[in-house]
Amino acid sequence: MNDTAHEHVLATMVEDLVEGRAAPDLTDAILSGRARVQARRRPRGRLISLVAGLAAAAALALSVYLVATSRPAQPLPQGVLAGPAAVIEADESSLQLVSGWALITSDRHELAVREHRLRGERFAVHTGGIPDEQTLLTMSGWLDQPDSPLSTKEIEMLTNAKNWIAKGSLALCVLSGTVLFDGVVVEAQKADDTGKPDKEIEAPRESRSSTSWEVKTVADAAAMPTGTTAVFIRNATETEAILKALPANSSVKGVRIDDSTDPGEEGLRALTAACPAMQHLSMARTPLASVAGLATARKLMSLQVESAETFNGAGLADLQFDESAGGRNEVAVTACPAFDDAGMKHLAKARRLQLVVLSDLPRVTAKGFEGIKDLRLTHMHVTRLAGFDAEAATHVAAMATLTTLTVSDSKVFGNEAVEKLAGHQALTSLYLNRCAIGTGIGAFVAKLPVLRSLAITGSDTLGVDDLRQFGGLNNLRTLSLAGSKGLSDDGLAALAESSMLTSLNISNCASLTNVGVLSLASMKSLKTLNAQTLPQITDDAWATLQSEIPGLTINK
């Protein structure tokens, strides 16, 4: 696939979806990576000029240090590797990359980056855009180990910036096979025997990979080759006619329609007939009256509608998702100003739906959630919804099958809302990111009997008693308090008194000192500590904590 094709593919995936996020400070990791490259491997290809410029004395000093502090194993599922400065929150049911980069070498795992999801055979993800030269060198050194899951050629591919595709703050490098990104299929970079990507900017359509097809006109649609698995329709002025012109193709799994005219009910019906195996459909910045034309899409697993000014949910009630999807059938509605409580009623009638993502919907009120309480949802992700408050939480509490609730950037979802969830018998994961959480939250969280994973990030008012309550949760294994200014040394010590946590994130909690960090030494069950940007913690304190818990992985 040439550079232009990569730009088209990624633009269809992530344009305007991923919010900007500052890249983490990778200074220490970069230096470590440089040392590993010089000390452990002979530079290959284009890396020669990078490595040759390092000062010999600095490389020697760092090499000696690294021999004494070899890379510890990551306590993550098999097939998942976190970069040296990555923050990954993982439990039995979810895997989320918060910052840094990660490598996935098994399609058994679905990786979440905020509300977005990726699944594929072999790929790397970086949250700070396309990695710069130093970060690529860090990756190379980090992966060049005797137990590396990558081949030499794959490492070379990963460390070539031209093999990464990005838009916004997310970058992706597909090493082999394909990656499914929010319902869109992305292919591995096409390369020649030297590992260099095809530099032809406007390759003839015949020379492009036959597994993805870009469409703008009716003629493009009619020419779609057999074997196509992903269709990208962009800037089309006759979308309905294009969909009617698509030839029958049972290989198509994903379709994306961006910046185009209304596909129309008949157009969507024609798409369903032409592509009976379609599993994922995404439509962005496209006028959309109804999705009723998808009523016969029996293999559909994911429908995503973004920035559709006129979409009010019409047709959602007609959807019948794939009954063999294994609990991952989903609808995502983002930034659709016409979508309101009536749209929620349409959503409530969709069949075999397990996951709902709702973001930036100003007309949805708490009453709208009353209609979907009878859905057998397992996952709900809500971002910037002014109507998602304590009243809405009452309806969510009635969802007996709900296992994961994520609420982000909410000024109205606070302690009272969490209290409404008390006693929920299925909720194992609760993620509250930058919500109106205050002192006293611990007493309400303590009433969630099967909670195993909790995130309360960006809070200014976490009390000592709250942390003590968290520590007393017998089932809690994963806790993130990242960015919580209210987290104190005393609070951390209270958490450590009786905690059975295996993973803890205290990154960007600037009030913490050595005293608080050293109190974690009593947490012998702790396997992973994410502790980035803690300016008051000394190297001696980290070394002491590591000696007290030898098997602990500290990401700092």
Side-chain angles (χ1 to χ4, degrees), residues 126-141:
H126 183 245
T127 61
I130 291 181
D132 59 22
E133 200 168 74
Q134 289 182 320
T135 304
L136 291 173
L137 192 58
T138 300
M139 292 181 181
S140 176

Side-chain angles (χ1 to χ4, degrees), residues 209-373:
S209 172
S210 63
T211 58
S212 63
W213 194 248
E214 298 172 32
V215 177
K216 188 175 181 180
T217 67
V218 171
D220 292 339
M224 181 177 70
T226 302
T228 296
T229 59
V231 179
F232 306 104
I233 301 173
R234 301 184 69 205
N235 302 308
T237 58
E238 44 186 353
T239 308
E240 183 172 344
I242 284 173
L243 296 178
K244 291 179 179 179
L246 288 173
N249 191 326
S250 59
S251 298
V252 173
K253 298 293 192 295
V255 176
R256 176 92 187 195
I257 304 173
D258 282 355
D259 303 293
S260 300
T261 55
D262 189 349
E265 186 174 331
E266 292 302 318
L268 292 177
R269 187 171 289 114
L271 171 64
T272 300
C275 306
M278 179 179 64
Q279 297 176 345
H280 309 277
L281 173 61
S282 300
M283 293 177 279
R285 298 171 302 281
T286 294
L288 187 63
S290 172
V291 294
L294 299 173
T296 57
R298 293 294 186 266
K299 293 296 183 180
L300 191 65
M301 296 168 54
S302 173
L303 172 65
Q304 301 185 356
V305 182
E306 177 204 350
S307 301
E309 294 286 333
T310 57
F311 183 62
N312 63 4
L316 288 175
D318 300 313
L319 299 183
Q320 300 187 50
F321 286 93
D322 185 4
E323 59 186 351
S324 63
R328 297 302 298 177
N329 293 329
E330 65 176 286
V331 166
V333 183
T334 302
C336 295
F339 192 90
D340 55 12
D341 291 347
M344 296 289 281
K345 289 183 178 180
H346 292 301
L347 180 63
K349 296 179 181 179
R351 298 167 182 82
R352 293 186 287 273
L353 180 62
Q354 286 94 24
L355 188 152
V356 168
V357 178
L358 302 171
S359 178
D360 300 287
L361 304 173
R363 297 182 63 184
V364 172
T365 72
K367 186 174 179 60
F369 288 89
E370 181 178 7
I372 67 170
K373 67 182 182 181

Side-chain angles (χ1 to χ4, degrees), residues 501-504 520 523-529 549 551-552:
L501 291 176
T502 59
S503 176
L504 176 63
L520 300 178
M523 297 175 62
K524 303 304 183 183
S525 62
L526 197 62
K527 301 299 182 185
T528 303
L529 177 63
I549 312 178
L552 177 64

Side-chain angles (χ1 to χ4, degrees), residues 462-475:
L462 282 177
V464 173
D465 287 342
D466 296 323
L467 275 297
R468 186 171 286 110
Q469 296 265 15
F470 296 162
L473 292 172
N474 294 331
N475 293 316

Side-chain angles (χ1 to χ4, degrees), residues 17-40:
L17 286 177
V18 182
E19 296 182 11
R21 178 186 291 272
D25 182 359
L26 301 180
T27 304
D28 293 339
I30 289 168
L31 292 175
S32 299
R34 287 180 180 270
R36 282 192 177 92
V37 171
Q38 287 202 331
R40 304 199 53 152

Side-chain angles (χ1 to χ4, degrees), residues 77-280:
Q78 186 174 2
V80 180
L81 179 67
V87 177
I88 291 186
E89 297 175 358
D91 59 23
E92 288 80 357
S93 62
S94 65
L95 191 66
Q96 181 164 340
L97 176 64
V98 178
S99 64
W101 64 271
L103 175 69
I104 308 296
T105 58
S106 170
D107 61 5
R108 292 177 297 175
H109 307 296
E110 182 176 78
L111 180 68
V113 184
R114 295 182 67 84
E115 63 260 37
H116 309 293
R117 287 164 297 283
L118 303 92
R119 185 188 294 271
E121 301 165 32
R122 298 177 75 80
F123 67 96
V125 180
H126 183 245
T127 61
I130 291 181
D132 59 22
E133 200 168 74
Q134 289 182 320
T135 304
L136 291 173
L137 192 58
T138 300
M139 292 181 181
S140 176
W142 188 252
L143 290 168
D144 186 33
Q145 304 286 338
D147 60 346
S148 175
L150 299 186
S151 66
T152 298
K153 189 170 184 179
E154 285 177 319
I155 293 175
E156 289 179 343
M157 184 176 181
L158 188 70
T159 53
N160 186 337
K162 293 182 179 180
N163 293 328
W164 289 77
I165 48 180
K167 192 72 173 183
S169 65
L170 183 67
L172 176 68
C173 179
V174 186
L175 298 171
S176 64
T178 60
V179 170
L180 193 64
F181 183 103
D182 282 349
V184 176
V185 178
V186 185
E187 299 174 287
Q189 165 71 50
K190 182 180 179 182
D192 59 25
D193 291 338
T194 65
K196 296 179 180 179
D198 178 7
K199 295 182 180 179
E200 188 176 4
I201 295 176
E202 289 293 344
R205 186 175 295 277
E206 292 76 19
S207 71
R208 298 179 187 175
S209 172
S210 63
T211 58
S212 63
W213 194 248
E214 298 172 32
V215 177
K216 188 175 181 180
T217 67
V218 171
D220 292 339
M224 181 177 70
T226 302
T228 296
T229 59
V231 179
F232 306 104
I233 301 173
R234 301 184 69 205
N235 302 308
T237 58
E238 44 186 353
T239 308
E240 183 172 344
I242 284 173
L243 296 178
K244 291 179 179 179
L246 288 173
N249 191 326
S250 59
S251 298
V252 173
K253 298 293 192 295
V255 176
R256 176 92 187 195
I257 304 173
D258 282 355
D259 303 293
S260 300
T261 55
D262 189 349
E265 186 174 331
E266 292 302 318
L268 292 177
R269 187 171 289 114
L271 171 64
T272 300
C275 306
M278 179 179 64
Q279 297 176 345
H280 309 277

